[in-house]
mmCIF file with all atom_site columns, all heavy atoms in Angstrom:
data_model
loop_
_atom_site.group_PDB
_atom_site.id
_atom_site.type_symbol
_atom_site.label_atom_id
_atom_site.label_alt_id
_atom_site.label_comp_id
_atom_site.label_asym_id
_atom_site.label_entity_id
_atom_site.label_seq_id
_atom_site.pdbx_PDB_ins_code
_atom_site.Cartn_x
_atom_site.Cartn_y
_atom_site.Cartn_z
_atom_site.occupancy
_atom_site.B_iso_or_equiv
_atom_site.pdbx_formal_charge
_atom_site.auth_seq_id
_atom_site.auth_comp_id
_atom_site.auth_asym_id
_atom_site.auth_atom_id
_atom_site.pdbx_PDB_model_num
ATOM 1  N N   . GLN A 1 152 ? 65.630 -40.796 40.273 1.00 0.00 ? 152 GLN A N   1
ATOM 2  C CA  . GLN A 1 152 ? 64.630 -40.769 41.338 1.00 0.00 ? 152 GLN A CA  1
ATOM 3  C C   . GLN A 1 152 ? 63.596 -39.689 41.031 1.00 0.00 ? 152 GLN A C   1
ATOM 4  O O   . GLN A 1 152 ? 63.879 -38.719 40.324 1.00 0.00 ? 152 GLN A O   1
ATOM 5  C CB  . GLN A 1 152 ? 65.286 -40.448 42.688 1.00 0.00 ? 152 GLN A CB  1
ATOM 6  C CG  . GLN A 1 152 ? 66.398 -41.371 43.109 1.00 0.00 ? 152 GLN A CG  1
ATOM 7  C CD  . GLN A 1 152 ? 67.115 -40.857 44.355 1.00 0.00 ? 152 GLN A CD  1
ATOM 8  O OE1 . GLN A 1 152 ? 66.868 -39.739 44.818 1.00 0.00 ? 152 GLN A OE1 1
ATOM 9  N NE2 . GLN A 1 152 ? 68.039 -41.667 44.894 1.00 0.00 ? 152 GLN A NE2 1
ATOM 10 N N   . LEU A 1 153 ? 62.421 -39.860 41.565 1.00 0.00 ? 153 LEU A N   1
ATOM 11 C CA  . LEU A 1 153 ? 61.395 -38.819 41.517 1.00 0.00 ? 153 LEU A CA  1
ATOM 12 C C   . LEU A 1 153 ? 61.328 -38.177 42.897 1.00 0.00 ? 153 LEU A C   1
ATOM 13 O O   . LEU A 1 153 ? 61.183 -38.875 43.910 1.00 0.00 ? 153 LEU A O   1
ATOM 14 C CB  . LEU A 1 153 ? 60.029 -39.407 41.150 1.00 0.00 ? 153 LEU A CB  1
ATOM 15 C CG  . LEU A 1 153 ? 58.853 -38.419 41.121 1.00 0.00 ? 153 LEU A CG  1
ATOM 16 C CD1 . LEU A 1 153 ? 59.081 -37.333 40.073 1.00 0.00 ? 153 LEU A CD1 1
ATOM 17 C CD2 . LEU A 1 153 ? 57.541 -39.155 40.849 1.00 0.00 ? 153 LEU A CD2 1
ATOM 18 N N   . ILE A 1 154 ? 61.494 -36.853 42.938 1.00 0.00 ? 154 ILE A N   1
ATOM 19 C CA  . ILE A 1 154 ? 61.477 -36.146 44.217 1.00 0.00 ? 154 ILE A CA  1
ATOM 20 C C   . ILE A 1 154 ? 60.440 -35.027 44.162 1.00 0.00 ? 154 ILE A C   1
ATOM 21 O O   . ILE A 1 154 ? 60.012 -34.597 43.096 1.00 0.00 ? 154 ILE A O   1
ATOM 22 C CB  . ILE A 1 154 ? 62.862 -35.557 44.553 1.00 0.00 ? 154 ILE A CB  1
ATOM 23 C CG1 . ILE A 1 154 ? 63.315 -34.574 43.459 1.00 0.00 ? 154 ILE A CG1 1
ATOM 24 C CG2 . ILE A 1 154 ? 63.895 -36.676 44.720 1.00 0.00 ? 154 ILE A CG2 1
ATOM 25 C CD1 . ILE A 1 154 ? 64.596 -33.823 43.785 1.00 0.00 ? 154 ILE A CD1 1
ATOM 26 N N   . GLY A 1 155 ? 60.045 -34.560 45.339 1.00 0.00 ? 155 GLY A N   1
ATOM 27 C CA  . GLY A 1 155 ? 59.082 -33.469 45.391 1.00 0.00 ? 155 GLY A CA  1
ATOM 28 C C   . GLY A 1 155 ? 58.513 -33.270 46.780 1.00 0.00 ? 155 GLY A C   1
ATOM 29 O O   . GLY A 1 155 ? 58.984 -33.857 47.762 1.00 0.00 ? 155 GLY A O   1
ATOM 30 N N   . ASP A 1 156 ? 57.489 -32.426 46.842 1.00 0.00 ? 156 ASP A N   1
ATOM 31 C CA  . ASP A 1 156 ? 56.822 -32.184 48.119 1.00 0.00 ? 156 ASP A CA  1
ATOM 32 C C   . ASP A 1 156 ? 56.291 -33.480 48.717 1.00 0.00 ? 156 ASP A C   1
ATOM 33 O O   . ASP A 1 156 ? 56.259 -33.650 49.945 1.00 0.00 ? 156 ASP A O   1
ATOM 34 C CB  . ASP A 1 156 ? 55.657 -31.207 47.929 1.00 0.00 ? 156 ASP A CB  1
ATOM 35 C CG  . ASP A 1 156 ? 56.114 -29.802 47.575 1.00 0.00 ? 156 ASP A CG  1
ATOM 36 O OD1 . ASP A 1 156 ? 57.256 -29.443 47.924 1.00 0.00 ? 156 ASP A OD1 1
ATOM 37 O OD2 . ASP A 1 156 ? 55.334 -29.053 46.948 1.00 0.00 ? 156 ASP A OD2 1
ATOM 38 N N   . PHE A 1 157 ? 55.854 -34.397 47.853 1.00 0.00 ? 157 PHE A N   1
ATOM 39 C CA  . PHE A 1 157 ? 55.179 -35.603 48.326 1.00 0.00 ? 157 PHE A CA  1
ATOM 40 C C   . PHE A 1 157 ? 56.110 -36.515 49.134 1.00 0.00 ? 157 PHE A C   1
ATOM 41 O O   . PHE A 1 157 ? 55.649 -37.315 49.947 1.00 0.00 ? 157 PHE A O   1
ATOM 42 C CB  . PHE A 1 157 ? 54.568 -36.373 47.147 1.00 0.00 ? 157 PHE A CB  1
ATOM 43 C CG  . PHE A 1 157 ? 55.567 -37.136 46.330 1.00 0.00 ? 157 PHE A CG  1
ATOM 44 C CD1 . PHE A 1 157 ? 55.718 -38.510 46.503 1.00 0.00 ? 157 PHE A CD1 1
ATOM 45 C CD2 . PHE A 1 157 ? 56.366 -36.506 45.384 1.00 0.00 ? 157 PHE A CD2 1
ATOM 46 C CE1 . PHE A 1 157 ? 56.635 -39.226 45.750 1.00 0.00 ? 157 PHE A CE1 1
ATOM 47 C CE2 . PHE A 1 157 ? 57.279 -37.213 44.628 1.00 0.00 ? 157 PHE A CE2 1
ATOM 48 C CZ  . PHE A 1 157 ? 57.420 -38.579 44.804 1.00 0.00 ? 157 PHE A CZ  1
ATOM 49 N N   . ASN A 1 158 ? 57.434 -36.423 48.914 1.00 0.00 ? 158 ASN A N   1
ATOM 50 C CA  . ASN A 1 158 ? 58.373 -37.254 49.693 1.00 0.00 ? 158 ASN A CA  1
ATOM 51 C C   . ASN A 1 158 ? 59.447 -36.409 50.369 1.00 0.00 ? 158 ASN A C   1
ATOM 52 O O   . ASN A 1 158 ? 60.537 -36.898 50.664 1.00 0.00 ? 158 ASN A O   1
ATOM 53 C CB  . ASN A 1 158 ? 59.006 -38.336 48.814 1.00 0.00 ? 158 ASN A CB  1
ATOM 54 C CG  . ASN A 1 158 ? 59.817 -37.762 47.641 1.00 0.00 ? 158 ASN A CG  1
ATOM 55 O OD1 . ASN A 1 158 ? 60.065 -36.553 47.577 1.00 0.00 ? 158 ASN A OD1 1
ATOM 56 N ND2 . ASN A 1 158 ? 60.233 -38.635 46.729 1.00 0.00 ? 158 ASN A ND2 1
ATOM 57 N N   . ASN A 1 159 ? 59.091 -35.128 50.619 1.00 0.00 ? 159 ASN A N   1
ATOM 58 C CA  . ASN A 1 159 ? 60.006 -34.199 51.284 1.00 0.00 ? 159 ASN A CA  1
ATOM 59 C C   . ASN A 1 159 ? 61.346 -34.095 50.561 1.00 0.00 ? 159 ASN A C   1
ATOM 60 O O   . ASN A 1 159 ? 62.394 -33.917 51.196 1.00 0.00 ? 159 ASN A O   1
ATOM 61 C CB  . ASN A 1 159 ? 60.222 -34.617 52.755 1.00 0.00 ? 159 ASN A CB  1
ATOM 62 C CG  . ASN A 1 159 ? 58.949 -34.480 53.571 1.00 0.00 ? 159 ASN A CG  1
ATOM 63 O OD1 . ASN A 1 159 ? 58.216 -33.499 53.439 1.00 0.00 ? 159 ASN A OD1 1
ATOM 64 N ND2 . ASN A 1 159 ? 58.670 -35.490 54.391 1.00 0.00 ? 159 ASN A ND2 1
ATOM 65 N N   . TRP A 1 160 ? 61.294 -34.235 49.225 1.00 0.00 ? 160 TRP A N   1
ATOM 66 C CA  . TRP A 1 160 ? 62.466 -34.073 48.361 1.00 0.00 ? 160 TRP A CA  1
ATOM 67 C C   . TRP A 1 160 ? 63.565 -35.103 48.642 1.00 0.00 ? 160 TRP A C   1
ATOM 68 O O   . TRP A 1 160 ? 64.738 -34.882 48.355 1.00 0.00 ? 160 TRP A O   1
ATOM 69 C CB  . TRP A 1 160 ? 63.024 -32.654 48.462 1.00 0.00 ? 160 TRP A CB  1
ATOM 70 C CG  . TRP A 1 160 ? 61.986 -31.642 48.075 1.00 0.00 ? 160 TRP A CG  1
ATOM 71 C CD1 . TRP A 1 160 ? 61.122 -30.994 48.890 1.00 0.00 ? 160 TRP A CD1 1
ATOM 72 C CD2 . TRP A 1 160 ? 61.674 -31.220 46.736 1.00 0.00 ? 160 TRP A CD2 1
ATOM 73 N NE1 . TRP A 1 160 ? 60.273 -30.180 48.171 1.00 0.00 ? 160 TRP A NE1 1
ATOM 74 C CE2 . TRP A 1 160 ? 60.598 -30.281 46.830 1.00 0.00 ? 160 TRP A CE2 1
ATOM 75 C CE3 . TRP A 1 160 ? 62.192 -31.500 45.476 1.00 0.00 ? 160 TRP A CE3 1
ATOM 76 C CZ2 . TRP A 1 160 ? 60.042 -29.661 45.718 1.00 0.00 ? 160 TRP A CZ2 1
ATOM 77 C CZ3 . TRP A 1 160 ? 61.651 -30.875 44.371 1.00 0.00 ? 160 TRP A CZ3 1
ATOM 78 C CH2 . TRP A 1 160 ? 60.582 -29.966 44.497 1.00 0.00 ? 160 TRP A CH2 1
ATOM 79 N N   . ASN A 1 161 ? 63.140 -36.240 49.197 1.00 0.00 ? 161 ASN A N   1
ATOM 80 C CA  . ASN A 1 161 ? 64.049 -37.361 49.440 1.00 0.00 ? 161 ASN A CA  1
ATOM 81 C C   . ASN A 1 161 ? 63.643 -38.509 48.527 1.00 0.00 ? 161 ASN A C   1
ATOM 82 O O   . ASN A 1 161 ? 62.600 -39.137 48.732 1.00 0.00 ? 161 ASN A O   1
ATOM 83 C CB  . ASN A 1 161 ? 63.982 -37.795 50.900 1.00 0.00 ? 161 ASN A CB  1
ATOM 84 C CG  . ASN A 1 161 ? 64.977 -38.895 51.232 1.00 0.00 ? 161 ASN A CG  1
ATOM 85 O OD1 . ASN A 1 161 ? 65.557 -39.525 50.345 1.00 0.00 ? 161 ASN A OD1 1
ATOM 86 N ND2 . ASN A 1 161 ? 65.189 -39.133 52.521 1.00 0.00 ? 161 ASN A ND2 1
ATOM 87 N N   . GLY A 1 162 ? 64.452 -38.761 47.495 1.00 0.00 ? 162 GLY A N   1
ATOM 88 C CA  . GLY A 1 162 ? 64.062 -39.756 46.504 1.00 0.00 ? 162 GLY A CA  1
ATOM 89 C C   . GLY A 1 162 ? 64.544 -41.153 46.768 1.00 0.00 ? 162 GLY A C   1
ATOM 90 O O   . GLY A 1 162 ? 64.376 -42.035 45.918 1.00 0.00 ? 162 GLY A O   1
ATOM 91 N N   . SER A 1 163 ? 65.125 -41.397 47.920 1.00 0.00 ? 163 SER A N   1
ATOM 92 C CA  . SER A 1 163 ? 65.680 -42.724 48.182 1.00 0.00 ? 163 SER A CA  1
ATOM 93 C C   . SER A 1 163 ? 64.604 -43.806 48.144 1.00 0.00 ? 163 SER A C   1
ATOM 94 O O   . SER A 1 163 ? 64.897 -44.958 47.813 1.00 0.00 ? 163 SER A O   1
ATOM 95 C CB  . SER A 1 163 ? 66.389 -42.742 49.544 1.00 0.00 ? 163 SER A CB  1
ATOM 96 O OG  . SER A 1 163 ? 65.485 -42.386 50.583 1.00 0.00 ? 163 SER A OG  1
#
Side-chain angles (χ1 to χ4, degrees):
Q152 304 172 352
L153 178 62
I154 59 173
D156 292 335
F157 76 101
N158 61 10
N159 294 318
W160 301 93
N161 184 346
S163 59

